[in-house]
Amino acid sequence: MMSQAQDIQAGAAMEKTATEEPVQTAEYQCHMISEGKATGRVLFSKDPFCFYLVDPKNGVVLDKNHCLYGQSIADTILVFPNGSGSSVVQADGMYQLKIAGTEPRAMVVRNLDTTLVASAIIMESPLVNRLPEEFYANTHDGDIVTVNATDELVTVEASGLGADGVAVGLDGAKTAETEG
């Protein structure tokens, strides 16, 4: 016979299980630029990125005109269209973040430039490109992403909840068991 305390614990465990968000996984092929593997929460930037305009103490974006202004890129999987700024400020910005330990864990870029490539290799930061459009359409800020640049594979674990709180697949379609 269960005690009242065991009854309460069992009920709480059942409630927690019933309310947990479904986790969905998708894998995408990519092209390795700088080898390595890292996992973290993904952070998307629609704007080109200048690493020199990031506070190395905390990884917070300082550029008031940037879409990520005030947010930290530290320990993220940073996804951005391309780098910006001169080769000297880009390389120095990445270096300052690296020595402070506030750099992104890995980077995904759409358009490469020589400075970004050289800096990522020198800083030993995983960097990939050439992901399919489905990655960009189906992945959202906060999803857990593993960039395995060495094996040219990006894995996304999505929470599965859309903006309206309804479970959706990675393709954005509402799942059959949640449609009303």
Side-chain angles (χ1 to χ4, degrees), residues 2-79:
M2 278 188 164
S3 71
Q4 186 175 7
Q6 288 172 322
D7 242 357
I8 292 170
Q9 287 175 341
M14 285 175 37
E15 183 178 316
K16 182 179 179 192
T17 302
T19 60
E20 285 180 359
E21 298 174 1
V23 175
Q24 301 172 355
T25 303
E27 291 185 340
Y28 302 96
Q29 293 295 308
C30 63
H31 177 251
M32 177 186 73
I33 305 302
S34 178
E35 67 183 1
K37 181 178 178 180
T39 300
R41 293 207 175 273
V42 72
L43 181 63
F44 281 87
S45 171
K46 65 179 177 55
D47 296 335
F49 210 86
C50 181
F51 291 94
Y52 193 73
L53 297 175
V54 176
D55 186 340
K57 291 180 290 205
N58 52 22
V60 172
V61 177
L62 300 172
D63 181 357
K64 292 181 181 181
N65 296 316
H66 197 276
C67 66
L68 296 181
Y69 171 70
Q71 295 184 56
S72 177
I73 64 167
D75 293 323
T76 64
I77 304 299
L78 184 62
V79 181

Side-chain angles (χ1 to χ4, degrees), residues 54-118:
V54 176
D55 186 340
K57 291 180 290 205
N58 52 22
V60 172
V61 177
L62 300 172
D63 181 357
K64 292 181 181 181
N65 296 316
H66 197 276
C67 66
L68 296 181
Y69 171 70
Q71 295 184 56
S72 177
I73 64 167
D75 293 323
T76 64
I77 304 299
L78 184 62
V79 181
F80 57 106
N82 54 278
S84 69
S86 73
S87 58
V88 173
V89 297
Q90 276 293 71
D92 184 55
M94 288 181 77
Y95 174 74
Q96 295 301 323
L97 292 168
K98 181 76 171 182
I99 62 172
T102 56
E103 77 277 18
R105 292 181 180 181
M107 297 174 287
V108 175
V109 66
R110 282 188 182 252
N111 306 302
L112 291 175
D113 63 73
T114 308
T115 301
L116 184 59
V117 170

